[in-house]
Amino acid sequence: MLITDDFLPVPVPESLSATYLVPMRGLPRVGPKAAVRGLAGRLAEPVHGLATQMLDSPLMNVDTRSIGEFPELPPDLLAAFGASESQLDRLAAATHLVVVQAEYRPGWPPAHEWAARAVAAAVAESSGGDVVDVFGLQFLDPAAALRSLPDAQGRVRLVDWVLVPYSSDSDGLWFTTKGLRRFGLLELQTQGVPDHLTRAWGAVMTGAARRLLREWTDGLAGEEVPAFVQLPVLATVTGHDIAVAYGNPEQHGATAPVLLRLELDPATDPEADSFLSLRPPPGHPGPAGRYFAAACATLFAGIQPDVRYARTGDAMSRAIATARASLADVRARFVAGALPPESQLVVKYGLPGDDGPEYVWAGVTSWDSPERITGASASDAAGDPSVRIGSPVVVEAADVVDWAVLDRTGVIEGGWTQAVLDAGEPPT
């Protein structure tokens, strides 16, 4: 094994396993094989065939147990990871659990995860129940579980498989991933992230996870599972990595890349997890938080990933009027393909909120009707949990207050309201 200063050898586990639960009252009325057959035509290949084959092999086990035979699932943690009251109520009323477990070698595809989730979703759908992802401690309704599986082109959204929780300490925010171990890779962590980068750094971590997971699975592509995979010490992350991880590869493709240094932080406690830490590259002056802020500014060039609320005033009113007056023209150029090469059109629009509208940006993907814009959100909305970075959105043109054309250097046209905000106009 070649070890150099440019690469970090990361150990590979011998095998990987996945466990999913389907809580229900009474015994299942439909067996797992019949339930999976019912997904024919709805579940893309190779996942449907993979689930069918693994059901007939020793690599998968499906068992129905009395709920008392399984360790209690912690309701507080399930709630923290998004479980609803109705899901927790159904779990409390359940008498049995269908336990789906699968095992497979590290590499791509992650057959253990895809097949086990598909079988659990099929069983849950046939019984009107829920799926519990034991690794992520998450409830999934069957439809969401099926949507997370690869489409006909083999594409998946990494955000359906990897979470990025964070907590606060005296040095700032501590981010970790939760989900890379599904694929055999150590989880990532970043410490000392400034508080105002909550949403932005979560997206950067997701993009970094996507890039490193690709390097990881490329290193596992041979017939034999290696003992180590060499990962680059300097990891490159681009806006495209973030967009692909969120399922919108057409977004953020024009941003410049940033470098992050990868270090192995082994656990001192045998029961604890080791991490791959993301740090500034060598030679960066000043605190790490300053570099993380600069990285976010680069990856989200020209648009603020954090929430910004419009402020009243003459300058802001003029900016909005200027943007709206030229909206029809920029649409005509977008539809005609007349915008600069390798550029991206984004629009800023208002979401209703208790304290007034919240203004967020979205990348434009199509604009067939003058009244309606289809796009992908460029930031997470504070007041609407369905609006996340990369999520599809439909914007009424009447709600647009600004637009901008971006390239890898940032805003090259438009962005009038952003200029007012960046100038710090006081509210009136």
Side-chain angles (χ1 to χ4, degrees):
M1 178 181 64
L2 178 64
I3 301 178
T4 72
D5 292 338
D6 297 327
F7 291 92
L8 181 69
V10 178
V12 180
E14 294 183 3
S15 65
L16 301 172
S17 61
T19 302
Y20 290 84
L21 309 176
V22 181
M24 59 179 59
R25 298 186 68 173
L27 297 173
R29 296 185 297 274
V30 179
K33 292 184 180 180
V36 170
R37 284 196 298 270
L39 296 179
R42 296 170 50 205
L43 191 60
E45 295 297 347
V47 180
H48 187 263
L50 194 64
T52 303
Q53 293 169 18
M54 290 191 75
L55 269 172
D56 287 326
S57 80
L59 295 173
M60 179 179 285
N61 181 62
V62 182
D63 190 22
T64 301
R65 306 181 194 174
S66 167
I67 198 165
E69 298 178 36
F70 202 86
E72 182 182 2
L73 295 170
D76 53 342
L77 287 179
L78 289 168
F81 284 106
S84 67
E85 287 293 333
S86 59
Q87 288 170 331
L88 293 174
D89 288 344
R90 287 194 291 272
L91 175 62
T95 60
H96 291 79
L97 293 172
V98 177
V99 183
V100 182
Q101 295 177 301
E103 186 173 340
Y104 202 65
R105 56 162 279 177
W108 199 263
H112 60 298
E113 283 287 351
W114 288 358
R117 185 174 285 198
V119 171
V123 172
E125 187 178 70
S126 68
S127 65
D130 306 298
V131 176
V132 179
D133 171 13
V134 173
F135 181 94
L137 277 179
Q138 276 191 299
F139 266 92
L140 302 170
D141 67 74
L146 293 173
R147 283 196 302 271
S148 71
L149 295 166
D151 62 14
Q153 285 74 45
R155 298 172 300 192
V156 295
R157 300 192 329 152
L158 191 62
V159 291
D160 292 328
W161 298 89
V162 177
L163 305 174
V164 186
Y166 65 91
S167 59
S168 181
D169 58 27
S170 58
D171 297 323
L173 298 176
W174 174 35
F175 283 80
T176 61
T177 60
K178 184 175 178 61
L180 288 177
R181 283 187 178 273
R182 300 179 191 272
F183 311 104
L185 182 59
L186 297 178
E187 302 291 356
L188 306 181
Q189 71 171 357
T190 310
Q191 295 175 294
V193 178
D195 291 350
H196 71 281
L197 297 179
T198 302
R199 297 181 183 86
W201 196 254
V204 174
M205 289 279 286
T206 306
R210 182 259 174 184
R211 174 57 67 97
L212 290 171
L213 183 59
R214 187 170 182 178
E215 300 271 1
W216 176 255
T217 54
D218 284 348
L220 296 171
E223 291 186 7
E224 298 294 328
V225 177
F228 294 87
V229 166
Q230 302 271 27
L231 294 181
V233 169
L234 287 180
T236 302
V237 183
T238 67
H240 181 70
D241 291 317
I242 296 171
V244 171
Y246 280 87
N248 288 278
E250 70 278 4
Q251 297 299 307
H252 292 294
T255 61
V258 299
L259 290 177
L260 293 168
R261 178 165 49 98
L262 199 64
E263 288 188 4
L264 177 62
D265 279 331
T268 55
D269 182 348
E271 300 298 320
D273 291 332
S274 299
F275 285 95
L276 293 172
S277 291
L278 297 176
R279 295 192 169 96
H284 169 69
R290 185 180 302 167
Y291 183 82
F292 299 148
C296 290
T298 298
L299 290 170
F300 298 97
I303 53 175
Q304 283 289 344
D306 291 275
V307 177
R308 303 290 285 271
Y309 293 91
R311 289 175 276 188
T312 60
D314 290 342
M316 182 61 73
S317 297
R318 289 194 298 270
I320 294 172
T322 301
R324 285 179 168 166
S326 53
L327 198 59
D329 176 68
V330 77
R331 173 187 177 266
R333 292 160 55 203
F334 173 82
V335 172
L339 294 178
E342 298 185 358
S343 66
Q344 171 69 49
L345 175 63
V346 295
V347 294
K348 189 180 192 179
Y349 67 104
L351 293 170
D354 294 338
D355 300 321
E358 174 189 350
Y359 291 91
V360 292
W361 290 92
V364 179
T365 56
S366 64
W367 199 345
D368 298 333
S369 166
E371 297 82 17
R372 186 164 297 168
I373 305 165
T374 302
S377 182
S379 60
D380 292 344
D384 188 342
S386 68
V387 179
R388 314 293 292 172
I389 294 177
S391 64
V393 293
V394 177
V395 180
E396 298 296 328
D399 295 333
V400 172
V401 297
D402 201 358
W403 60 266
V405 177
L406 312 177
D407 69 3
R408 65 177 59 252
T409 65
V411 176
I412 59 174
E413 187 178 350
W416 295 276
T417 65
Q418 196 71 48
V420 173
L421 289 169
D422 291 341
E425 177 205 338
T428 59

